[in-house]
Amino acid sequence: QSALTQPASVSGSPGQSITISCAGTSNDVGAYNYVSWYQQHPGKAPVLMIYDVTNRPSGVSNRFSGSTSGNTASLTISGLQAEDEADYYCGSYTNWRTYVFGTGTKVTVL
Amino acid sequence: EVQLVQSGAEVKKPGESLKISCKGSGFTFTSSWIAWVRQMPGKGLEWMGSFFPGDSDTRYGPSFQGQVTLSADKSLNTAYLEWSSLKASDTAVYYCGKWVAGSVDYWGQGTLVTVSS
């Protein structure tokens, strides 16, 4: 059970859209609609941004959206803002009834 | 309001034992999975395992099986993460969270564990 693979860093200018990928396998991302995304600012606990692939918890901006295609999930942030600069992690339920996180992506707002 | 409040920072020596806690409120503790997540300094999130206080069902991530013990006290609405013999490599921030199959929807504030001789 290996960590899901994310790009180490993604950057964009204010107002632009960026997409973060999360590559898994048929034992996790490709097996269930149980993919989630978390935002973590330095020194803070992670915050759930997307759950069950496409759903946003109450209070999360609709600038954040999620999707999957096969064994790869994606998080898109539209209308990039300075406050979006943070680390982002994907996560997925697995065939072993456990959970696995992605390797993490640092988002920089230029 | 769902809250998970973790115990304070710990400084321990290699070989010592440790049990940290996570107290839940605002939800039905015995009907919810509590997950534990490790974050080593400057590194990413790692799912250690989860515990279901209702029937003590426990699941461990492959890297953590046999290395830690998860438990809970239903009467106190408190979950625990325990080590019998700490190593320097256990130095990390440990988070608890309320775990639903697809996500950790609420998180504790984190507990910093420092293991150093």
Side-chain angles (χ1 to χ4, degrees):
Chain A
Q1 182 180 322
S2 300
L4 309 176
T5 302
Q6 299 180 231
S9 62
V10 173
S11 61
S13 299
Q16 286 187 328
S17 292
I18 62 170
T19 296
I20 302 168
S21 61
C22 169
T25 71
S26 57
N27 289 316
D28 38 63
V29 173
Y32 305 94
N33 288 324
Y34 285 150
V35 174
S36 50
W37 290 89
Y38 305 88
Q39 178 191 66
Q40 187 181 34
H41 286 106
K44 301 294 188 182
V47 174
L48 179 66
M49 304 300 284
I50 296 287
Y51 68 96
D52 296 352
V53 179
T54 61
N55 297 307
R56 282 186 306 277
S58 174
V60 172
S61 170
N62 60 8
R63 297 185 298 105
F64 292 85
S65 61
S67 64
T68 59
S69 178
N71 296 336
T72 299
S74 298
L75 173 72
T76 298
I77 308 175
S78 58
L80 199 61
Q81 299 180 0
E83 67 208 49
D84 300 332
E85 187 161 293
D87 294 325
Y88 291 83
Y89 296 90
C90 59
S92 176
Y93 190 67
T94 80
N95 274 340
W96 298 276
R97 303 190 306 154
T98 59
Y99 196 77
V100 63
F101 285 104
T103 50
T105 298
K106 181 176 180 59
V107 168
T108 301
V109 181
L110 302 172
Chain B
E1 178 196 9
V2 173
Q3 283 195 314
L4 293 160
V5 179
Q6 298 185 231
S7 50
E10 301 274 0
V11 179
K12 292 289 190 178
K13 295 186 185 325
E16 292 186 330
S17 62
L18 176 65
K19 194 174 191 177
I20 62 174
S21 66
C22 168
K23 183 173 177 61
S25 61
F27 63 99
T28 304
F29 188 76
T30 52
S31 299
S32 303
W33 287 88
I34 302 297
W36 289 91
V37 176
R38 181 175 77 176
Q39 189 166 38
M40 299 175 75
K43 302 299 185 183
L45 305 176
E46 299 173 272
W47 191 84
M48 302 177 70
S50 63
F51 188 87
F52 191 77
D55 62 5
S56 298
D57 191 4
T58 311
R59 301 174 191 178
Y60 291 99
S63 299
F64 298 96
Q65 180 81 47
Q67 306 303 307
V68 297
T69 301
L70 306 185
S71 63
D73 185 328
K74 292 186 286 189
S75 67
L76 298 177
N77 278 10
T78 300
Y80 301 99
L81 168 61
E82 183 174 17
W83 295 261
S84 59
S85 181
L86 286 160
K87 302 184 284 287
S89 57
D90 292 318
T91 294
V93 174
Y94 293 88
Y95 294 100
C96 67
K98 179 173 157 296
W99 182 57
V100 183
S103 62
V104 179
D105 55 358
Y106 293 91
W107 294 73
Q109 83 276 20
T111 296
L112 174 62
V113 174
T114 304
V115 183
S116 174
S117 54

